[in-house]
Amino acid sequence: AQSVSQHNHHVILSEAASLELGCNYSYGGTVNLFWYVQYPGQHLQLLLKYFSGDPLVKGIKGFEAEFIKSKFSFNLRKPSVQWSDTAEYFCAACRISGNTPLVFGKGTRLSVIA
Amino acid sequence: ETGVTQTPRHLVMGMTNKKSLKCEQHLGHNAMYWYKQSAKKPLELMFVYNFKEQTENNSVPSRFSPECPNSSHLFLHLHTLQPEDSALYLCASSSLAGEGDTQYFGPGTRLTVL
């Protein structure tokens, strides 16, 4: 079965620390990859996505993610986190055809402390 | 604000009640989705509608009954729910279903079943 794994359930960082959240997906073929963020009390919003082209994708608020096909990975990074980055982060993947659904990981809670 | 609205935002109901959740999208999309978000679990896809036709029912119990009268509106009718059905119910929309398009989420309805 298709699955998306996020290795860290809860990450705690100090402001200005660098962030990397891991994401791996289990299935082959051509996939679209997404990172969504859910700030406390707010709705899920798209942070960035990879459909094709440059495997290094830049998103909003200084986030970026790198698609490494050989590792089935799509890790999220930010060089210097801020307190306002405290949120839950979800990785998701979907095959681009075959009427397959978008599959989400369990999410990683990021807490940034001053 | 993503262009996807959900009402009500919070709902408390007893196991014998009947209630409905409403979702509306203002993005001109043709696909709409219901997800269930429970603590410490990945988002669970419940139903998918593409051009008002249901294309996915992810083994959801019959006490959840979706309705999609047009491409802009989606309902989830609830009856004789169980306490374990308490969760955040999210609606999403995308241009098309099954093509890996970006999904846009509403704020969710926080449901508590007593």
Side-chain angles (χ1 to χ4, degrees):
Chain A
Q2 301 160 2
S3 67
V4 174
S5 301
Q6 292 182 242
H7 316 297
N8 311 102
H9 296 300
H10 190 189
V11 173
I12 303 172
L13 294 174
S14 299
E15 277 194 313
S18 65
L19 169 72
E20 180 158 2
L21 301 182
C23 173
N24 287 90
Y25 59 96
S26 67
Y27 42 104
T30 305
V31 294
N32 288 347
L33 296 158
F34 306 82
W35 276 98
Y36 283 87
V37 60
Q38 191 171 30
Y39 297 103
Q42 295 190 29
H43 58 268
L44 271 170
Q45 34 186 305
L46 183 68
L47 201 54
L48 49 79
K49 62 187 178 185
Y50 172 79
F51 281 11
S52 64
D54 189 343
L56 185 61
V57 179
K58 294 194 184 298
I60 60 172
K61 304 186 180 186
F63 285 90
E64 65 179 32
E66 185 175 10
F67 170 52
I68 302 179
K69 189 173 182 179
S70 60
K71 294 185 178 179
F72 296 88
S73 70
F74 190 55
N75 293 354
L76 181 71
R77 299 195 293 249
K78 185 170 183 178
S80 176
V81 294
Q82 301 171 312
W83 178 82
S84 58
D85 294 323
T86 295
E88 190 137 15
Y89 293 81
F90 296 89
C91 182
C94 179
R95 279 210 185 98
I96 64 167
S97 61
N99 200 30
T100 55
L102 186 63
V103 177
F104 283 83
K106 288 187 178 182
T108 297
R109 179 174 297 174
L110 173 65
S111 298
V112 180
I113 55 178
Chain B
E1 187 62 46
T2 62
V4 181
T5 58
Q6 290 186 243
T7 53
R9 295 293 304 274
H10 300 271
L11 178 62
V12 179
M13 59 187 288
M15 289 191 285
T16 58
N17 292 156
K18 289 184 180 181
K19 296 287 183 184
S20 295
L21 310 184
K22 180 183 175 182
C23 175
E24 184 173 359
Q25 58 95 1
H26 311 274
L27 301 170
H29 289 162
N30 295 303
M32 297 188 77
Y33 311 79
W34 279 118
Y35 287 88
K36 177 182 179 182
Q37 187 179 23
S38 306
K40 298 183 177 155
K41 293 174 71 174
L43 263 73
E44 300 171 55
L45 179 65
M46 300 175 72
F47 301 104
V48 180
Y49 278 83
N50 208 22
F51 293 97
K52 302 187 298 177
E53 298 297 321
Q54 188 179 126
T55 59
E56 182 104 14
N57 176 340
N58 213 20
S59 303
V60 180
S62 59
R63 56 186 185 269
F64 295 91
S65 173
E67 179 191 359
C68 188
N70 54 60
S71 293
S72 299
H73 293 86
L74 185 65
F75 295 89
L76 188 63
H77 303 300
L78 316 171
H79 64 98
T80 59
L81 294 192
Q82 305 297 312
E84 60 264 29
D85 296 322
S86 298
L88 183 67
Y89 288 84
L90 296 172
C91 174
S93 72
S94 69
S95 296
L96 288 172
E99 300 297 326
D101 292 340
T102 301
Q103 293 182 22
Y104 296 87
F105 286 82
T109 295
R110 174 71 61 185
L111 174 67
T112 303
V113 181
L114 301 176

